[in-house]
Amino acid sequence: MMKENLIPAIEFCTSHQIEFSFINSLHEYGLIEIIEVRQTAFLHPKELPKLEQILLFNKELEINLEGVEVIIRLLERVNQIQNEMTVLKNRLRLYENL
C-alpha cells in the first residue's frame, strides 16, 4: 500500500475536532482500520465514509460507542444480505429465462 494514499489520523482528528483517542477506540472496537507506518497512525481513504457516519451517530445523534458499534454491524449485515439477494435474484432470472 502506498503511503501517499493514506491520510494521517491526526490530520483527520484535527479537521473534525476530535481526539485521537476516539479514533483509537474505534480501532479497538474493530470498526475501523488504522495503518501504522514508522509509529504514525494513518487511515485508508476507504475508511472515510464509515468514519463520517460514525461521527454523525456519535456527535449529532449522541449515540455512545457501544451503540455505534451495534448500528455499524447491523448496517454491514444488511448490506451483506442485500448483496446476497441481488446474486440470488440474478440466478433466478437466469433460470426463468430458460
Side-chain angles (χ1 to χ4, degrees):
M1 185 176 308
M2 298 188 67
K3 186 178 173 184
E4 301 88 49
N5 295 335
L6 300 177
I7 300 156
I10 197 71
E11 284 184 23
F12 181 87
C13 293
T14 302
S15 66
H16 288 80
Q17 300 173 349
I18 59 173
E19 298 290 325
F20 178 76
S21 60
F22 182 75
I23 297 291
N24 199 38
S25 294
L26 295 175
H27 177 68
E28 289 173 1
Y29 275 92
L31 296 174
I32 62 166
E33 181 182 346
I34 293 178
I35 301 159
E36 292 218 15
V37 178
R38 296 186 185 137
Q39 299 180 350
T40 302
F42 290 92
L43 301 167
H44 193 279
K46 70 178 174 121
E47 298 285 355
L48 295 183
K50 187 189 291 187
L51 267 169
E52 299 283 345
Q53 190 176 43
I54 290 170
L55 286 174
L56 172 74
F57 291 146
N58 183 255
K59 281 186 158 185
E60 301 296 322
L61 301 177
E62 299 179 359
I63 298 173
N64 63 18
L65 283 182
E66 291 81 6
V68 170
E69 179 185 19
V70 170
I71 292 169
I72 294 297
R73 302 261 185 246
L74 287 172
L75 289 172
E76 288 172 350
R77 182 67 179 130
V78 166
N79 190 34
Q80 179 185 9
I81 290 170
Q82 287 175 332
N83 290 337
E84 290 173 3
M85 284 180 50
T86 300
V87 168
L88 292 173
K89 284 180 181 179
N90 289 338
R91 283 186 189 166
L92 183 59
R93 282 192 198 108
L94 178 71
Y95 289 111
E96 288 175 339
N97 292 330
L98 290 178

